[in-house]
Amino acid sequence: MPSKILIIGACGQIGSELTTKLREIHGTENVIASDINTRKLDLVNSGPFEIIDAKNFNAIKDCCKNHNIDTVYLMAALLSATGEKYPMEAWDLNMNSLFHVLNLAKGGNIKRVYWPSSIAVFGPTTPREDTPQHTICEPTTVYGITKQVGERWCEYYYKKYGVDVRSIRYPGIISHKAMPGGGTTDYAVEIYHEAIKKGTYECFLSEDTSLPMMFMDDAIKATIDLMEAPGENLTIRSSYNLSAISFTPKEIYESIKAQMPDFKISYKPDFRQAIADSWPSSIDDSVARQEWNWQHSFDLDAMTAEMLRALKKKYHAS
Ligand code: SER
């Protein structure tokens, strides 16, 4: 029997590319995409799609029952910057959607759950360089609090009820298909779009703010590798540290400028600077590398080459 997969939040930045990849692997008809609305029409038209509000337990339950779902990827979330504007909404969406999926899995029909955590679980008291897997986590954003608490609940459901839940602490994810929505690391996507569209970019973080980042292809590969790993190899049921590259706005600017010599940047830090300052600048992901052979492929310049190639095609074609 092929796996039947439900992706909640399939129209988002990561959800949309994850849906495409999972459909390639498992067959389009075995991967049900869902989101609260139909904002990504190509996804809606390219295979099974259901409108699901991730806060609605019955909607998730009915969809799982109707499609015999055995694996759920819960990708819906309010991110760090939006979470600071709407704290109660972030808490409501990020926590209740997780409880709904964990409780359904506890009931036995869902065999495996993927839920993303984030570098936002760390805070100003966390060691900033090479942040270890097990360390101080005192997040200062609502988003970080929801992810930290969610990690505790994932581990609890695994230990107490045997729910096979797996998770990664994503760094900032950079991609050229769907835009990210409301994160602090979004500048590293916007900068490529603005470089192509306008040749200038005003960055909302200061030039020397170093953050952990990753190209989308690596993030999708990590997600699928973790979900396919033998359960007995996995010692972490809260969430795995994961890392690829770390860079500052100045370094990504220089990487783009090497290919676009006229590109200009200016800096105007806003409220997101304080969020970035509370997060690590680099992550120790040796546990993920040992337990499920995680390896990244893209460094900064390889990512820049791919981003500029894809975005030039996109904007110059339209
Ligand atoms: N990209 C996220 C954010 O900036 C971090 O996980 O909120």
Side-chain angles (χ1 to χ4, degrees), residues 38-60:
T38 52
R39 69 195 137 120
K40 259 198 125 280
L41 268 182
D42 51 342
L43 194 78
V44 176
N45 294 328
S46 67
F49 186 91
E50 302 259 350
I51 292 185
I52 294 181
D53 177 351
K55 290 180 291 189
N56 184 335
F57 177 76
N58 286 328
I60 302 172

Side-chain angles (χ1 to χ4, degrees), residues 79-80 118 143 170 172 183-185 279:
L79 297 187
S80 59
S118 162
Y143 175 62
Y170 287 132
T184 301
T185 55
W279 289 350

Side-chain angles (χ1 to χ4, degrees), residues 241-266:
N241 275 10
L242 196 76
S243 124
I245 37 180
S246 285
F247 54 79
T248 63
K250 186 162 183 242
E251 287 163 341
I252 192 173
Y253 163 69
E254 277 163 4
S255 176
I256 297 171
K257 196 172 156 64
Q259 298 197 36
M260 299 180 63
D262 294 334
F263 179 47
K264 300 261 181 310
I265 192 165
S266 58

Side-chain angles (χ1 to χ4, degrees), residues 75-310:
M75 309 307 289
L78 242 68
L79 297 187
S80 59
T82 316
E84 292 310 289
K85 290 184 184 153
Y86 307 104
M88 288 302 111
E89 285 82 351
W91 179 261
D92 187 18
L93 172 63
N94 296 2
M95 296 318 303
N96 283 319
S97 59
L98 178 60
F99 279 125
H100 294 339
V101 173
L102 289 177
N103 282 328
L104 274 175
K106 178 183 152 193
N109 289 330
I110 296 170
K111 302 286 178 244
R112 197 163 289 179
V113 173
Y114 180 78
W115 176 79
S117 184
S118 162
I119 54 166
V121 296
F122 302 119
T125 50
T126 304
R128 263 183 78 76
E129 305 284 334
D130 286 331
T131 302
Q133 174 70 48
H134 300 284
T135 188
I136 300 166
C137 291
E138 294 180 327
T140 49
T141 62
V142 175
Y143 175 62
I145 294 169
T146 66
K147 289 298 177 185
Q148 185 202 29
V149 175
E151 286 189 9
R152 297 288 88 228
W153 279 111
C154 286
E155 191 183 278
Y156 184 88
Y157 270 68
Y158 172 73
K159 288 192 169 155
K160 187 103 177 172
Y161 307 117
V163 171
D164 186 357
V165 53
R166 303 173 180 205
S167 176
I168 285 170
R169 290 169 175 157
Y170 287 132
I173 307 292
I174 292 135
S175 63
H176 50 76
K177 291 183 184 146
M179 291 299 280
T184 301
T185 55
D186 294 8
Y187 91 84
V189 178
E190 289 171 10
I191 193 169
Y192 289 109
H193 285 262
E194 298 298 294
I196 300 286
K197 284 197 293 187
K198 293 196 212 143
T200 62
Y201 180 61
E202 184 178 272
C203 185
F204 58 75
L205 297 182
S206 66
E207 65 176 2
D208 53 358
T209 307
S210 177
L211 287 170
M213 301 276 186
M214 181 176 290
F215 189 52
M216 179 65 88
D217 293 26
D218 278 334
I220 299 293
K221 181 178 174 299
T223 306
I224 291 171
D225 284 357
L226 173 60
M227 286 297 271
E228 288 179 350
E232 60 272 21
N233 294 359
L234 309 178
T235 63
I236 306 292
R237 293 295 181 152
S238 50
S239 192
Y240 279 95
N241 275 10
L242 196 76
S243 124
I245 37 180
S246 285
F247 54 79
T248 63
K250 186 162 183 242
E251 287 163 341
I252 192 173
Y253 163 69
E254 277 163 4
S255 176
I256 297 171
K257 196 172 156 64
Q259 298 197 36
M260 299 180 63
D262 294 334
F263 179 47
K264 300 261 181 310
I265 192 165
S266 58
Y267 300 95
K268 196 175 174 199
D270 66 14
F271 74 101
R272 289 168 282 193
Q273 183 67 47
I275 300 177
D277 288 342
S278 77
W279 289 350
S281 61
S282 60
I283 301 284
D284 174 351
D285 62 354
S286 48
V287 181
R289 288 180 193 261
Q290 274 155 27
E291 293 188 1
W292 43 280
N293 301 319
W294 157 243
Q295 275 184 309
H296 70 278
S297 300
F298 285 81
D299 63 15
L300 176 55
D301 288 336
M303 181 174 81
T304 295
E306 182 54 18
M307 288 294 289
L308 294 179
R309 186 199 61 75

